[in-house]
Amino acid sequence: MGCCKVVHIGSIEDRQAESGGGAPWAPQAWIARAPQPLGAGTTGPLAGLRFAVKDNIDVAGLPTTAACPAYAYTPDRHAPVVQRLLDAGAQLVGKTNLDQFACGLNGTRSPFGAVPNAFNAGYVSGGSSSGSAYVVATGQVDFALGSDTAGSGRVPAGLNNIIGLKPSRGLISARGMVPAARSVDCVSIFARSVGLAAQVLECAMGHDARDPYSRTLPLASTAWASRFRFGVPDTLAFFGDSAAEAAFTQAVQRLESMGGTAVRIDYAPLAQAADLLYGSALVAERYAAIRAFFDRHEDQVMEPVRSIIAQGRGYSAADLHDAQTRLRAIAQQADAMWRSIDVLLVPTAPTHYTIEQMRADPIALNRNLGAYTNFVNLLDYAAISVPSAMRADGLPFGVTLIGPCGSDWQLAELGQRYHQASGMRQGASAEPLPPPRRLPGLAPAPGMKIAVVGAHLSGMPLNAQLTERNATLVQATTTSPNYRLYALPGTVPPKPGLQRVPGQGAAIALEVWDMPMAHVGSFLALIPPPLGLGSVELADGSWVHGFQCEAHALQQAEDVTAHGGWRAFVATTQSALAT
């Protein structure tokens, strides 16, 4: 396609000046839009979905700036990952702002302006994939690509209430991406649900012989058991942020309620690895990534990015060899933790800062945001950031699940269960999470189909008891016309009772869910009498397990069969109360 002009809008102040001052900030400011969406978007597994890419990833005909106008060039072909997503049917709508040269975790280091948080514009979005996270959280696109070297694909996810999937190194080709530190760079995925992020990963990944760091990796295909062990660092710093500390304590408790056992792990080796990223000769790789440009145009690179990259000039090859050997020694020590845990739980970001705070102290506060991210790529781990809670101040808090290289599908499975159990909304919207998906790459676990007719229906108060056990919605249908439905008195939350009465009933709306056998026992233990598990006949004449009610409990119950289902009855009742 031909070249087109793509303009990154500048700062909040610039935008207000252009519009006469005082105008509200338009979300579109954080995405440079193509003249028209690229891709047919009519066939393929991602058909109908819209996406954006971080502006350090090539899109044919659109400038790649890496948030540095002097560096800009216009590629004549898509990066392989972009091409794979277009081939899968997705439509690309534009490119997103970032911390310059993907050097930063806060989203303020761009000449095109600081990207605000999706929940409070006075706070940072996280970076460096700031624009990609923002447009996903605000619903402008369905998913977006970022990059992740030290946490750039996770911190913005945690601060904007979305999923940040950082795959194992080399699983997605990084060719066509402006490198930050080529040996540890990863293309990352942002979405509002784990199921979609996993679907995008399945389409995006694939070996690329022209990418020196691309790998064909054997990915674990069996989910972790219903009882699992998760690591928690033995020392945790929240930098005085009591809201974040309380949210993380809640996260540990939630994972325990899902069958996990918390295990304290020695965080020192992980912290030591993280320190090497900028505190050793490893930083020379950031300089090497753009050396030819940097040596000619250093003055065109903004601070503090310029000073960080310039550090790389001062190290010798021997210094780099020593740093790499030190990293391998630390990795040997750190990897011992996997003998006692299945997965590691950390805060995605231990605190949250305002844009003004970040500008006043850009180095130290940026470092704090990366306290639990910097080590992951260096040690060759996979990770997924998942929304966890809304703080009392209205800001979101996310946690990151980290696993060994190749644990990508396992992390997605546990991440999806955790996200469903959190009860969080999608991004900055009021939309509830969609039902959990069957994830690619995992062998289906033996399951039991269970029909639900009342408080366990999608969107109803007890639905989380299904989703947190990784049950998936199979179908919405009705019973055969042989049932009556009753509203049981005195139940909290209100529950119905279903009774089979051949020839005297009606079709009652229900949902059929498939629950892994490993979780059925704990689910049934939550069901109080007079309800019990029996068999229910569906509209097509088939039978599945489902809840029925003991006859004696229906004597004082209200017959609500005429409503055709519990959801309709509840809606009618609420409408009557409102009037």
Side-chain angles (χ1 to χ4, degrees):
M1 69 180 276
C3 178
C4 57
K5 183 178 181 182
V6 178
V7 179
H8 285 270
I9 308 299
S11 67
I12 293 176
E13 294 79 6
D14 291 341
R15 177 69 174 187
Q16 290 174 337
E18 291 173 6
S19 58
W25 181 252
Q28 290 81 359
W30 310 118
I31 182 169
R33 296 186 180 276
Q36 60 184 17
L38 308 181
T42 57
T43 60
L46 301 180
L49 298 178
R50 294 157 56 85
F51 76 107
V53 301
K54 185 176 180 177
D55 191 22
N56 62 343
I57 300 173
D58 286 350
V59 174
L62 301 184
T64 298
T65 73
C68 180
Y71 181 82
Y73 63 91
T74 301
D76 58 8
R77 65 182 63 189
H78 302 309
V81 62
V82 172
Q83 187 64 61
R84 292 180 72 93
L85 296 175
L86 293 171
D87 291 344
Q91 287 191 323
L92 192 152
V93 301
K95 306 189 75 177
T96 57
N97 201 358
L98 67 152
D99 281 324
Q100 192 172 75
F101 291 114
C103 188
L105 291 173
N106 60 81
T108 70
R109 297 174 176 178
S110 171
F112 303 121
V115 179
N117 185 266
F119 287 79
N120 185 328
Y123 281 78
V124 299
S125 60
S128 61
S129 308
S130 50
S132 288
Y134 185 87
V135 296
V136 170
T138 54
Q140 298 180 59
V141 295
D142 298 295
F143 68 91
L145 295 182
S147 65
D148 189 306
T149 305
S152 296
R154 289 162 279 154
V155 170
L159 298 185
N160 286 281
N161 195 45
I162 59 174
I163 301 299
L165 192 160
K166 190 221 72 74
S168 295
R169 284 181 356 209
L171 196 58
I172 298 176
S173 172
R175 182 162 58 92
M177 182 174 80
V178 178
R182 195 182 297 272
S183 69
V184 292
D185 287 342
C186 295
V187 175
S188 65
I189 297 165
F190 295 104
R192 291 184 294 276
S193 70
V194 176
L196 178 55
Q199 184 183 18
V200 174
L201 173 61
E202 183 182 37
C203 296
M205 68 187 203
H207 181 256
D208 178 6
R210 297 178 63 190
D211 175 359
Y213 293 97
S214 179
R215 299 186 286 180
T216 300
L217 293 170
L219 302 183
S221 60
T222 303
W224 286 307
S226 58
R227 304 297 302 180
F228 58 93
R229 302 162 301 168
F230 66 94
V232 177
D234 57 354
T235 57
L236 282 162
F238 294 93
F239 306 99
D241 192 333
S242 59
E245 185 172 9
F248 187 71
T249 299
Q250 180 188 43
V252 172
Q253 294 169 347
R254 179 177 296 131
L255 213 51
E256 288 175 330
S257 74
M258 293 169 53
T261 298
V263 178
R264 286 169 61 86
I265 60 102
D266 180 8
Y267 192 67
L270 306 181
Q272 291 166 12
D275 289 343
L276 291 177
L277 188 64
Y278 292 108
S280 76
L282 294 185
V283 77
E285 192 168 5
R286 285 198 177 262
Y287 167 62
I290 58 168
R291 176 170 52 180
F293 169 80
F294 192 78
D295 285 347
R296 294 195 307 271
H297 304 288
E298 180 177 350
D299 61 334
Q300 298 296 308
V301 179
M302 64 188 300
E303 288 290 1
V305 177
R306 181 193 313 153
S307 295
I308 293 169
I309 294 174
Q311 293 178 55
R313 287 180 171 139
Y315 293 100
S316 68
D319 293 331
L320 180 58
H321 174 76
D322 288 345
Q324 291 171 334
T325 301
R326 173 62 178 152
L327 177 61
R328 291 308 312 146
I330 292 172
Q332 295 281 11
Q333 184 180 356
D335 284 352
M337 71 180 176
W338 300 119
R339 292 196 289 268
S340 58
I341 62 172
D342 299 297
V343 62
L344 175 63
L345 175 74
V346 298
T348 297
T351 187
H352 204 155
Y353 297 113
T354 66
I355 291 174
E356 290 309 310
Q357 285 174 317
M358 184 61 62
R359 284 171 170 161
D361 193 1
I363 301 297
L365 300 194
N366 186 85
R367 184 187 306 117
N368 293 349
L369 291 180
Y372 300 105
T373 62
N374 287 354
F375 64 88
V376 175
N377 287 356
L378 291 175
L379 297 177
D380 201 12
Y381 301 154
I384 184 169
S385 176
V386 183
S388 185
M390 291 300 297
R391 300 159 35 132
D393 56 9
L395 296 171
F397 176 82
V399 295
T400 295
L401 301 168
I402 301 169
C405 177
S407 64
D408 302 73
W409 298 133
Q410 294 173 314
L411 289 169
E413 188 274 339
L414 183 58
Q416 179 169 249
R417 285 200 285 133
Y418 184 92
H419 198 195
Q420 292 286 339
S422 74
M424 298 291 284
R425 300 289 178 169
Q426 294 190 59
S429 77
E431 296 179 28
L433 292 177
R437 297 188 185 189
R438 289 199 180 279
L439 299 177
L442 288 180
M448 175 187 288
K449 289 186 173 59
I450 301 176
V452 298
V453 298
H456 288 94
L457 293 166
S458 297
M460 293 302 221
L462 298 182
N463 183 250
Q465 292 182 355
L466 295 170
T467 58
E468 69 188 12
R469 287 167 174 78
N470 210 32
T472 54
L473 179 62
V474 176
Q475 64 173 326
T477 182
T478 68
T479 67
S480 67
N482 294 310
Y483 290 86
R484 300 201 73 80
L485 191 68
Y486 298 84
L488 299 176
T491 54
V492 180
K495 301 180 185 70
L498 186 70
Q499 184 182 41
R500 180 173 170 79
V501 286
Q504 304 176 47
I508 304 298
L510 58 74
E511 292 177 348
V512 179
W513 289 72
D514 190 2
M515 178 174 292
M517 289 300 300
H519 301 306
V520 170
S522 66
F523 176 65
L524 295 181
L526 300 174
I527 308 305
L531 301 177
L533 193 66
S535 296
V536 174
E537 184 183 18
L538 303 183
D540 62 4
S542 62
W543 292 78
V544 296
H545 295 288
F547 295 111
Q548 297 199 33
C549 187
E550 297 175 15
H552 71 85
L554 302 178
Q555 295 175 3
Q556 304 299 320
E558 178 186 359
D559 188 329
V560 297
T561 305
H563 293 274
W566 186 246
R567 196 190 305 277
F569 167 70
V570 170
T572 301
T573 303
Q574 291 175 342
S575 177
L577 291 174
T579 57

